[in-house]
Amino acid sequence: MTTPAGSGTGFGSVSWWGLSPALDLQAESPLVDPDSQADTEHGTPQLDVLLLGSVDGRHLLRTLARAALWPRRRFQFYVLENNLEAVARHMLVFSLVLENPAKMGLQEKSETFLEVWGNTLLRPPVAAFVRAQADRLAHLVPEPDRMAEQLPWLRLGTLKFRERDALEAVFRFWAGGEKGPESFPIRCLWDTRLRHYLGSRYDARRGVSDWDLHMKLHDRGARVIHIHEFRRWRDTGIAFELRDSSAYHVPNRTLASGHLMSHRGERVAVRGYWGDIATGPFVAFGIEADDESLLRTSNGKPIKTAGEITQHNVTELFRAMAAWECGKVAQQDPVEVLGQADGTQEPAAPSPESFTVHFLPLGSAQTLHHKSCYKGRFHLLYMACGMVHLLSPELGACVAPGGRLIVELARYLVDLRHEQLQGFTTRVAELAQAAGFAPEPGARPSETFARFYSVLGKA
């Protein structure tokens, strides 16, 4: 509903980035039992994770980058999104991350990721990379054998045929199937969304940005987001300005999606920008850091901005994962290499063959339990705040006894007031209990995530 003060729908109907910091999913999962769940083919324990609405792959990337800190494990990630454009962005991100270091350096890779992930406009070289990758993926989607050979970490087999056809169409649009910026006029689309969101406050949008940042995001813990980067993103949709502002002029087609609208009494699909225009992509990688020096303050103000912290964190993630390609070139098991020195096996960085990402059909959350292969399978279930309504006893039946549930809370949704945030948290607890989960004993207090464990099947 639109009011004189605006629509109150800044989050949008499509999520392009998460509203919580990236998690190491191994740290959130039950401990490895070396005597059980051994993968008969590879001889290593396996971690099965179901993620609903993770949208940007941040949890997967952090988990894989930190895998060397844990006992060796194979990962099976099952990802369920509510739109195929999010699936396509997952595929593009992982294709970028696993790009051969000899073809793309670490800095170029991290900067390309940030622009594609969080900017409405791209530099021409980045746009050319997106077109090339999209064209490649568009040809691989309808050819499972070639995909299995070139992208061994990816599984699309559970998607319906029409979903795979639609996914191919998404990549063809990204690859430039419709020529010219007029096919996705993001500047106009962003401004239209902003006008609808702010209503009569549009002319005072700078003051609205300052209020939302200082009285909401800063008050809720995201103090490193700088006013200048937040204003720039609110005005233009460019979160990470890594070069001169004039370099960004190619529309980022990966942020396009379809939306059903009423036209002359009929429902028609309209392509546009239907994502977040209120919070921004700063929370996922930009408000926490393993290096505490990045979070230091001087005279009460952070010395680093969220953009700088994001770039550092993403670069370090990619640095950790770049070792995978080196290990692949060496064609030797890194565990064996580490164990040769003293005859023992130590944790080692995984290879691209040690994880698999399965994309599940849209809208399948309530039917997974009908398949025996999913019932009681998952050690960890992650749910984004926009997917909480899908938490049910049927979905809970897919989690193994003692398995964990993590729910992203709505802490950084600027449209929600404090009492609404409390109501959301209470509702999450109620849904979790009805689905067969109990609060995890000893879990660290958090306003960002709610943690539970499955009590189904326990005495």
Side-chain angles (χ1 to χ4, degrees):
M1 182 179 70
T2 303
T3 68
S7 66
T9 56
F11 183 56
S13 58
V14 177
S15 298
W16 296 128
W17 40 75
L19 295 177
S20 58
L23 291 173
D24 179 358
L25 298 177
Q26 284 212 79
E28 306 291 343
S29 304
L31 296 176
V32 177
D33 182 356
D35 297 325
S36 66
Q37 299 174 346
D39 186 308
T40 55
E41 181 182 353
H42 301 87
T44 55
Q46 182 167 294
L47 176 64
D48 293 294
V49 182
L50 174 60
L51 302 102
L52 273 66
S54 60
V55 299
D56 55 9
R58 68 194 185 283
H59 302 312
L60 279 63
L61 293 176
R62 182 165 172 81
T63 301
L64 295 171
R66 292 173 59 85
L69 304 178
W70 299 89
R72 191 167 181 83
R73 215 169 183 180
R74 283 187 57 80
F75 302 101
Q76 298 289 336
F77 299 114
Y78 291 79
V79 179
L80 197 160
E81 302 292 351
N82 62 9
N83 64 89
L84 290 169
E85 290 85 357
V87 173
R89 273 173 61 100
H90 272 288
M91 294 171 61
L92 178 64
V93 164
F94 271 91
S95 296
L96 169 63
V97 171
L98 298 176
E99 183 77 14
N100 191 325
K103 296 181 179 179
M104 180 177 283
L106 184 63
Q107 180 178 347
E108 182 184 2
K109 189 178 290 188
S110 60
E111 290 181 351
T112 299
F113 170 83
L114 292 179
E115 290 187 28
V116 172
W117 175 59
N119 284 1
T120 54
L121 297 171
L122 306 176
R123 291 179 292 128
V126 176
F129 172 82
V130 172
R131 287 194 298 270
Q133 287 295 318
D135 183 66
R136 173 188 175 224
L137 292 171
H139 284 90
L140 289 179
V141 167
E143 299 188 34
D145 293 338
R146 283 185 60 204
M147 177 172 287
E149 178 184 347
Q150 297 187 30
L151 306 176
W153 50 269
L154 177 64
R155 297 291 185 274
L156 299 178
T158 61
L159 292 183
K160 300 174 183 177
F161 286 110
R162 66 173 179 270
E163 290 174 334
R164 277 181 259 180
D165 290 342
L167 187 61
E168 180 185 353
V170 170
F171 286 126
R172 294 204 179 280
F173 172 67
W174 292 1
E178 298 179 32
K179 303 294 184 181
E182 63 276 1
S183 61
F184 185 54
I186 185 60
R187 286 189 177 94
C188 177
L189 295 171
W190 185 272
D191 187 66
T192 300
R193 279 287 313 283
L194 204 59
R195 288 176 182 274
H196 181 253
Y197 173 57
L198 296 176
S200 61
R201 300 180 299 167
Y202 178 81
D203 291 335
R205 56 190 178 278
R206 173 163 289 196
V208 175
S209 298
D210 294 356
W211 175 270
D212 285 346
L213 179 63
H214 290 102
M215 304 305 294
K216 295 181 180 178
L217 292 175
H218 282 184
D219 190 53
R220 297 173 188 177
R223 298 188 59 83
V224 294
I225 302 177
H226 196 276
I227 183 63
H228 293 310
E229 62 186 352
F230 189 70
R231 281 178 183 168
R232 181 185 64 233
W233 176 78
R234 274 281 184 97
D235 288 342
T236 65
I238 297 178
F240 308 106
E241 196 172 83
L242 309 174
R243 298 288 188 275
D244 184 83
S245 59
S246 62
Y248 298 91
H249 54 81
V250 182
N252 183 358
R253 294 190 177 203
T254 73
L255 296 178
S257 63
H259 185 67
L260 287 176
M261 301 188 71
S262 179
H263 178 69
R264 296 180 180 177
E266 296 183 1
R267 302 284 283 176
V268 295
V270 179
R271 180 186 291 137
Y273 179 80
W274 309 109
D276 173 32
I277 57 170
T279 300
F282 306 106
V283 174
F285 294 107
I287 64 173
E288 294 183 359
D290 294 328
D291 183 354
E292 293 293 332
S293 66
L294 296 172
L295 304 177
R296 287 192 290 114
T297 60
S298 177
N299 298 321
K301 295 184 178 181
I303 62 173
K304 297 289 185 180
T305 67
E308 292 170 331
I309 295 173
T310 296
Q311 187 172 8
H312 170 86
N313 286 339
V314 168
T315 302
E316 291 306 306
L317 286 181
F318 288 5
R319 190 190 310 278
M321 297 182 70
W324 295 17
E325 287 297 330
C326 297
K328 185 178 179 182
V329 171
Q331 293 184 344
Q332 192 170 12
D333 188 345
V335 172
E336 294 178 1
V337 173
L338 288 172
Q340 287 170 357
D342 57 4
T344 61
Q345 287 191 352
E346 298 292 339
S351 67
E353 292 76 20
S354 66
F355 77 96
T356 307
V357 182
H358 307 256
F359 289 104
L360 299 175
L362 306 185
S364 62
Q366 301 304 323
T367 59
L368 290 178
H369 68 287
H370 291 311
K371 296 187 176 182
S372 58
C373 61
Y374 297 133
K375 200 163 186 178
R377 173 169 190 161
F378 300 105
H379 308 109
L380 177 65
L381 168 61
Y382 171 87
M383 303 193 73
C385 60
M387 305 285 268
V388 169
H389 61 285
L390 297 175
L391 183 55
S392 65
E394 291 77 18
L395 190 60
C398 296
V399 179
R404 303 299 195 266
L405 165 67
I406 299 181
V407 180
E408 177 188 64
L409 301 179
R411 181 181 185 182
Y412 297 109
L413 273 177
V414 299
D415 288 333
L416 296 188
R417 300 185 301 273
H418 180 69
E419 58 271 19
Q420 291 174 308
L421 295 176
Q422 290 182 322
F424 181 86
T425 303
T426 301
R427 181 57 177 160
V428 166
E430 293 172 350
L431 290 172
Q433 182 178 5
F437 295 90
E440 187 173 346
R444 56 190 181 278
S446 173
E447 296 180 12
T448 308
F449 299 100
R451 294 174 169 86
F452 307 88
Y453 73 101
S454 175
V455 296
L456 295 177
K458 291 199 167 188

